[in-house]
Amino acid sequence: MVTERIDEILPGAVLDRHAFRGDQTIVVGRDRFLEVIDLVYREGFQLLLDVTAVDGGQRDPRFDVVYHLLNLASQERLRIKMRVGEGEAVPSLVSRFKSADWAERETMDMFGIPFEGHPDPRRLLMWEDFPGHPLRKDFPLDGGDVFCSQDIGASYSPDARSLNV
Amino acid sequence: MSKTMAPNPTAQASDGDRMIVNMGPSHPVTHGTLHIVLELEGEIIVKATPQIGYLHRGVEKLGENLTYQQFIPLTDRLNYCSSLMNNVGYTLAVEKLLGVQDPPRSRVLRVLCSELARIGDHLVCIGINAVDIGAYTAFLYMFKERETIYDLFEMMAGQRLHSSFTRIGGLFRDIPAEFEPLCGQFLESCERTIDEMEKLLTHNPIWADRTKGVGAITPENAINWGYTGPCLRAAGVAHDLRVAQPYLDYETYQFDIAVGTTGDVYDRYLVRTEEMRQSLRIVRQCLDRLKEIGPGPVIVDDYKVALPPKEKVYTRMESLIHHFKLIMHGIEMPVGEVYSATEAANGELGFYIVSDGTKSPYRIHVRPPCFPIFSSFDEQVKGRLIADAVSVLGAMNIIAGEMDR
């Protein structure tokens, strides 16, 4: 099990862990994140499938940045999570995994989490001057009034917070 | 133009020789709304900058505001060439979160429809790639088969393109009696069509010239770019989730993994061709199994998860309550997070669901297979001709719907 190896080689790097329905998750601190990635890469987790984030809303620190890795040799999967506050930068993994390039750009675009050292930190899905980050919990579901050139002061449906009211 | 190119020193150095060509957003070969900015020196591509997001519909944001059941039709719109596989992938993710398993008949039917969808997807991918390169006849032969696949989907789900066939805990309904004879016919005719397609393409010198050596990628590089599915297997990595991490009892079916050597467009074509043959083999086994299993339920008998049958709703109090609770309050989900992956037609389709126990997912994230594959586009076409960009783009099997979400 890779989580035990991490404990062995990097004691104290894993802040929290859980296993749910067979998925292994470890939570690491920002300062030791690159060490952990380095280790798991050497352990065989060389396919970075996905980078995304979860907005905790009012929670502090606000975001979980989530990495999904796969070990092609042993077919083991690992989820690495890192808790970051608003505006706090996350080290970019582009130099290690090319697949991190777009995935990090998307996470930056959708959540506004900056990735330190990213070679091309542009938005990916939204256009350059789009206001806000759509997947944050406080971003209105109907997108607000970004399409209106006049400031009408409200979104077209201010109470449209949920489709299932 | 000069304003956007200024920060790039190489662009400044040879600005006079360089031409910018926009491929897309709506161009016949972009297979959806994609925009690729090609910087050219003569006919040689110096740099390709893909720009996506034209089809961004905010599926993940919508999913956070819909119930688990209501999200199923949105998964159809991700990869509209094989929507049934997206349905299956998503419902498997929710079932993993819930810890339920669907009945045996439903599992066989899910494999059956997934494999039909895989054949349909590969037919479109190869057919359209051939059209882009200029081979029109093969495309017509193959689209006839795809029509039959859509007829089969219509029999199953009632809809051709956006099937929404699965439900959490099983399927919307069982297949009708007319399904099996038509499927048997299809198995025979599709085999013949693949033979015809191979006669038209595999040894065709023009096809070989346009595809051999184009977009070649090493296995290490393919893994580093996050490739999955036929593109990864064409590069020589025998990784198929149906074998490596079997779901839906795939380990009990007989089939082989197709593997290439060079990872170029020609190998991707060969891998997809072989995969279609293997899928036909699996479909055949599914039909045999359906006969063995015989009629039976196709959805779990748990009314906390699946709606009770209408006759019970109209006649029994508890069923009426269950129906009301499921429609109004959704399924009671455990708190937790899961990542569930299935082998979709163009690679690993993953759903990452975070549940806080309410009726809607707290966070739902789709891991589309073609997203990381397309991010390597620049590396694949750099230093090659514009015409090669067309073959590479087609062979990557880009679906804008799932890439942009």
Side-chain angles (χ1 to χ4, degrees), chain B residues 10 21-22 36 52 56 69 108 122 141 152 177 209-210 233 249 251 260 275 279 297 307 335 349 366-367 393 398:
Chain B
T10 45
V21 169
N22 287 297
I36 302 164
I52 62 169
H56 181 65
Q69 192 73 64
V108 177
H122 286 353
Y141 281 39
L152 289 166
D209 277 354
R210 291 292 305 275
R233 289 192 284 275
D249 309 327
E251 68 275 19
E275 267 181 29
S279 290
L307 286 174
V335 178
L349 174 72
V366 186
R367 189 262 176 207
L393 189 62
I398 306 301

Side-chain angles (χ1 to χ4, degrees), chain A residues 138-155:
Chain A
D138 52 9
F139 193 88
L141 183 64
D142 71 347
D145 64 346
V146 289
F147 298 106
C148 305
S149 50
Q150 302 282 314
D151 182 20
I152 54 167
S155 63

Side-chain angles (χ1 to χ4, degrees), chain A residues 11-161:
Chain A
V14 177
L15 303 177
D16 193 9
R17 76 190 62 219
H18 58 264
F20 179 69
R21 306 272 189 236
D23 287 13
Q24 294 181 69
T25 310
I26 55 169
V27 181
V28 295
R30 207 164 60 98
D31 46 338
R32 310 213 44 193
F33 173 66
L34 286 178
E35 279 176 66
V36 174
I37 287 288
D38 212 48
L39 176 67
V40 297
Y41 185 84
R42 280 187 278 117
E43 292 283 314
F45 288 84
Q46 293 178 350
L47 186 58
L48 175 70
L49 289 165
D50 198 24
V51 181
T52 187
V54 179
D55 181 5
Q58 303 298 316
R59 199 189 64 190
D60 186 48
R62 181 169 175 177
F63 299 105
D64 282 343
V65 183
V66 187
Y67 298 82
H68 285 103
L69 293 133
L70 172 67
N71 185 337
L72 278 172
S74 67
Q75 293 298 327
E76 214 180 328
R77 284 181 190 272
L78 180 66
R79 180 184 303 130
I80 299 180
K81 284 171 97 171
M82 188 175 20
R83 303 224 157 104
V84 290
E86 207 171 336
E88 220 174 333
V90 176
S92 170
L93 297 184
V94 179
S95 53
R96 168 92 53 197
F97 301 99
K98 288 173 183 166
S99 57
D101 187 341
W102 277 21
E104 286 178 356
R105 272 176 71 186
E106 187 195 318
T107 310
M108 189 278 296
D109 189 357
M110 294 289 123
F111 291 92
I113 300 168
F115 284 84
E116 213 169 6
H118 195 289
D120 184 18
R122 287 179 298 136
R123 301 192 87 124
L124 185 75
L125 296 174
M126 313 310 281
W127 58 98
E128 266 321 304
D129 48 0
F130 182 85
H133 303 285
L135 282 178
R136 286 188 173 194
K137 286 286 174 192
D138 52 9
F139 193 88
L141 183 64
D142 71 347
D145 64 346
V146 289
F147 298 106
C148 305
S149 50
Q150 302 282 314
D151 182 20
I152 54 167
S155 63
Y156 12 86
S157 176
D159 55 344
R161 298 291 302 175

Side-chain angles (χ1 to χ4, degrees), chain B residues 97-300:
Chain B
L97 181 63
L98 267 171
V100 299
Q101 203 182 34
D102 53 336
R105 192 171 167 85
S106 150
R107 297 173 77 74
V108 177
L109 282 169
R110 280 181 182 189
V111 172
L112 172 73
C113 66
S114 298
E115 294 309 318
L116 284 174
R118 188 185 315 279
I119 298 169
D121 196 286
H122 286 353
L123 285 174
V124 177
C125 176
I126 298 175
I128 302 281
N129 198 4
V131 170
D132 293 345
I133 291 175
Y136 192 60
T137 317
F139 158 79
L140 288 176
Y141 281 39
M142 287 151 84
F143 259 52
K144 193 178 135 271
E145 293 307 325
R146 196 181 79 137
E147 274 309 297
T148 318
I149 292 177
Y150 278 163
D151 287 343
L152 289 166
F153 286 174
E154 195 178 359
M155 281 181 176
M156 283 178 140
Q159 294 176 80
R160 296 170 75 80
L161 287 159
H162 296 309
S163 45
S164 309
F165 184 45
T166 59
R167 294 291 180 272
I168 295 159
L171 298 171
F172 157 51
R173 65 179 183 198
D174 206 339
I175 48 170
E178 317 84 82
F179 182 88
E180 280 189 43
L182 183 66
C183 193
Q185 263 179 36
F186 165 76
L187 286 173
E188 280 173 27
S189 75
C190 189
E191 194 87 59
R192 280 200 304 274
T193 304
I194 296 171
D195 290 342
E196 276 166 348
M197 177 198 87
E198 285 226 79
K199 276 179 198 157
L200 284 163
L201 296 177
T202 308
H203 301 295
N204 181 332
I206 304 173
W207 174 257
D209 277 354
R210 291 292 305 275
T211 54
K212 275 190 183 167
V214 178
I217 190 162
T218 60
E220 296 79 29
N221 227 356
I223 292 168
N224 203 250
W225 274 112
Y227 275 41
T228 46
C231 290
L232 179 67
R233 289 192 284 275
V237 183
H239 171 70
D240 189 322
L241 286 179
R242 292 176 293 172
V243 175
Q245 302 183 358
Y247 54 95
L248 291 175
D249 309 327
Y250 262 113
E251 68 275 19
T252 60
Y253 291 86
Q254 301 283 321
F255 65 101
D256 302 315
I257 311 178
V259 187
T261 48
T262 57
D264 60 5
V265 178
Y266 189 70
D267 271 17
R268 289 176 201 173
Y269 154 74
L270 290 180
V271 165
R272 289 202 174 95
T273 310
E274 185 52 33
E275 267 181 29
M276 285 196 282
R277 293 192 196 278
Q278 296 300 329
S279 290
L280 287 173
R281 215 171 132 193
I282 300 173
V283 171
R284 220 165 262 135
Q285 293 170 45
C286 288
L287 289 180
D288 291 344
R289 271 187 207 194
L290 285 176
K291 279 193 200 112
E292 268 171 42
I293 293 173
V298 289
I299 194 156
V300 285

